[in-house]
Amino acid sequence: MLLLHKPNQRVAIEKGELIGYKINDHEFIHQKESPGWRNSDTEMFPIIGSTKQNEFKVKTPKGNATLDQHGLLRELQYHLTSQTETMASFKKSYVANALVKNAKFPEKSTEEWVSWPYNFEFTKTFELKENELEIIFSVTGDKGMPFMLGYHPAFKLYTESPQIIAGEKTISLKEVKEIGSSALHIGNSNKLVLRDKEEIVIKTAGFDNFMLWTEVSNMICIEPITCFPPSVLEDTNFLKLQGKAQEFKVNIVVSNGI
């Protein structure tokens, strides 16, 4: 486990996964041993959403790719590339058409192997700032590569009636739970507020959408996404690499500093 420190702040990272963010003694991140989800954060790339209805095929300019739900990035291993007391950077690399073992097989998928017809490198950097954790994702790869990106962190809840504030709209935990596995979509937004025992602001750059998901009362996933996953994956939902690094940013800001 890797730890980042700043006065009154501590971040815990395990193999590139954010497993803790504390200010003083208040933990903001869902703990993996708690009910609700076996992880605390992950990424969705190069697609978001289910592919089962397409027989696990995703159309690309280089032909059909075989991908399971939310892509194959989560099946790859992060490698630490740099670290200081307040910053750590991790990288995943993929060679075009390499077969990757699908963790969902055979219990939840018919596809034992998944692949993608493009080379890419994916970097995830954590940096502690004043009462704030910044997470930057950088994508490089073959020029013209289509992709979607989603970040999937889970936040620990303490009260019975937390609220999510999206502009002038207030969303209850009950509303999120009632939507179920399809998740609640918030479009055209780069800022949400989670109001619980303590209040945090989630600000983004490059995403412009959120999904909200939970099935329990002790956590909620607030997920920045580049697009809401369609029932059928369409070309219009993909971004395209422009031949240089493309960055996406998430800032978790503790609004009162506790």
Side-chain angles (χ1 to χ4, degrees):
M1 185 170 64
L2 183 155
L3 298 177
L4 305 181
H5 295 275
K6 206 172 175 66
N8 302 322
Q9 296 187 82
R10 191 187 85 155
V11 165
I13 304 166
E14 186 175 69
K15 299 179 180 178
E17 181 180 8
L18 176 66
I19 61 171
Y21 178 34
K22 281 186 177 182
I23 293 190
N24 295 327
D25 292 325
H26 186 90
E27 176 63 75
F28 288 96
I29 301 301
H30 166 69
Q31 301 300 286
K32 295 198 286 185
E33 69 274 9
S34 299
W37 190 37
R38 67 182 182 277
N39 297 104
S40 54
D41 91 343
T42 192
E43 290 79 51
M44 300 171 278
F45 180 89
I47 58 104
I48 303 170
S50 174
T51 57
K52 185 176 181 179
Q53 70 276 14
N54 295 348
E55 298 181 341
F56 301 99
K57 302 301 179 185
V58 177
K59 182 180 177 181
T60 83
K62 291 188 175 183
N64 286 340
T66 301
L67 291 179
D68 212 314
Q69 181 171 336
H70 300 325
L72 54 66
L73 185 72
R74 61 182 61 190
E75 306 290 4
L76 308 177
Q77 296 297 312
Y78 273 119
H79 299 282
L80 179 67
T81 58
S82 60
Q83 178 187 359
T84 68
E85 286 189 355
T86 59
M87 183 277 295
S89 190
F90 299 83
K91 181 180 288 187
K92 293 184 178 184
S93 300
Y94 178 77
V95 177
N97 298 307
L99 295 179
V100 177
K101 185 76 171 180
N102 183 10
K104 292 179 178 293
F105 177 85
E107 289 80 8
K108 297 181 179 180
S109 176
T110 60
E111 302 299 312
E112 184 175 2
W113 303 95
V114 291
S115 63
W116 184 241
Y118 297 87
N119 301 289
F120 67 78
E121 287 190 342
F122 189 95
T123 301
K124 180 182 187 181
T125 302
F126 301 91
E127 185 172 1
L128 271 175
K129 299 186 174 183
E130 191 67 30
N131 295 322
E132 177 179 356
L133 175 60
E134 181 174 80
I135 306 163
I136 297 177
F137 305 99
S138 178
V139 184
T140 60
D142 294 340
K143 186 175 181 179
M145 182 185 81
F147 71 96
M148 306 172 187
L149 173 61
Y151 179 45
H152 192 311
F155 296 94
K156 185 174 182 176
L157 297 175
Y158 292 82
T159 67
E160 293 182 359
S161 54
Q163 297 176 324
I164 301 93
I165 313 299
E168 297 181 357
K169 185 177 182 181
T170 299
I171 301 161
S172 69
L173 187 66
K174 180 181 178 183
E175 290 176 79
V176 179
K177 290 171 71 175
E178 286 176 348
I179 292 291
S181 60
S182 58
L184 192 155
H185 178 213
I186 299 173
N188 301 313
S189 177
N190 56 21
K191 176 182 174 181
L192 290 184
V193 177
L194 174 58
R195 190 169 290 162
D196 192 38
K197 182 180 179 182
E198 301 292 344
E199 183 174 292
I200 55 173
V201 181
I202 297 96
K203 300 189 295 184
T204 71
F207 291 96
D208 299 326
N209 291 266
F210 287 93
M211 289 193 299
L212 305 179
W213 172 80
T214 190
E215 296 178 349
V216 295
S217 298
N218 59 283
M219 59 150 255
I220 185 168
C221 293
I222 300 178
E223 307 169 39
I225 51 176
T226 55
C227 68
F228 188 67
S231 57
V232 177
L233 297 168
E234 299 175 354
D235 292 345
T236 55
N237 293 294
F238 286 96
L239 302 175
K240 288 184 172 57
L241 277 179
Q242 303 302 313
K244 59 182 181 180
Q246 290 180 230
E247 284 194 354
F248 302 82
K249 187 182 298 185
V250 178
N251 293 76
I252 302 170
V253 184
V254 181
S255 58
N256 61 6
I258 310 186

